[in-house]
Amino acid sequence: MNHDPSKHAGTAASQDVLERLADVIEQRRQGDPDKSYVARLFHKGTDAILKKVGEEATETVMAAKDGDPQKIVYEVADLWFHSMLALARFGLRPADVLAELSRREGLSGLEEFAARKAREREQAERPRHQDPQED
């Protein structure tokens, strides 16, 4: 296993890899489902893509429970790939996720959770606008 510190996730090179992969996904999603795995999943629809994300998440957990670093990296790569398919399905890119991670950088996980809960409470307490046609 190569643990080269120059290849950590926050580097420009890593971001480039994610963007190039997102470009490939965009190119292949409209392709022939008989010739492209990506096209096949997009052809099957959102539920098929999300099912694969769930399967890969489960396989990642199982690899982590086994404690084999090589298996963990392999399964996380599958999870990231299928998560990128889900992002593409909803018109999102890796940069959107990286921006959210940057926004959270330096925040305590507990602070982030508390802020999210406060936003949810505020939204729940706002009076809902009732459509006059619903009366």
Side-chain angles (χ1 to χ4, degrees):
M1 175 113 341
N2 181 3
H3 292 289
D4 182 355
S6 69
K7 306 227 187 237
H8 284 298
T11 66
S14 297
Q15 292 173 12
D16 290 346
V17 168
L18 293 174
E19 284 301 320
R20 284 195 310 271
L21 181 54
D23 290 341
V24 169
I25 289 168
E26 282 302 316
Q27 292 166 3
R28 293 187 182 169
R29 70 185 284 180
Q30 299 299 326
D32 182 349
D34 292 330
K35 295 181 181 176
S36 166
Y37 175 73
V38 170
R40 185 177 308 142
L41 279 178
F42 275 92
H43 181 74
K44 288 181 179 180
T46 302
D47 285 348
I49 294 169
L50 299 178
K51 181 179 177 186
K52 284 302 295 182
V53 172
E55 288 173 8
E56 298 304 339
T58 299
E59 290 174 13
T60 299
V61 169
M62 291 167 43
K65 293 283 252 178
D66 290 344
D68 180 340
Q70 203 164 13
K71 281 184 183 177
I72 295 167
V73 168
Y74 182 87
E75 294 302 340
V76 169
D78 281 350
L79 177 58
W80 283 15
F81 174 77
H82 289 89
S83 294
M84 288 181 66
L85 294 180
L87 288 172
R89 170 61 188 88
F90 294 100
L92 299 167
R93 302 277 300 188
D96 297 306
V97 176
L98 294 172
E100 175 61 15
L101 290 171
S102 291
R103 184 190 69 77
R104 295 180 186 187
E105 190 174 11
L107 289 178
S108 144
L110 295 175
E111 289 172 356
E112 168 62 20
F113 182 75
R116 191 175 326 140
K117 286 296 179 189
R119 282 191 304 272
E120 289 171 3
R121 276 193 305 275
E122 283 177 17
Q123 289 175 349
E125 292 171 359
R126 286 187 189 143
R128 294 191 184 263
H129 172 74
Q130 187 171 357
D131 187 343
Q133 294 178 359
E134 292 179 6
D135 290 336

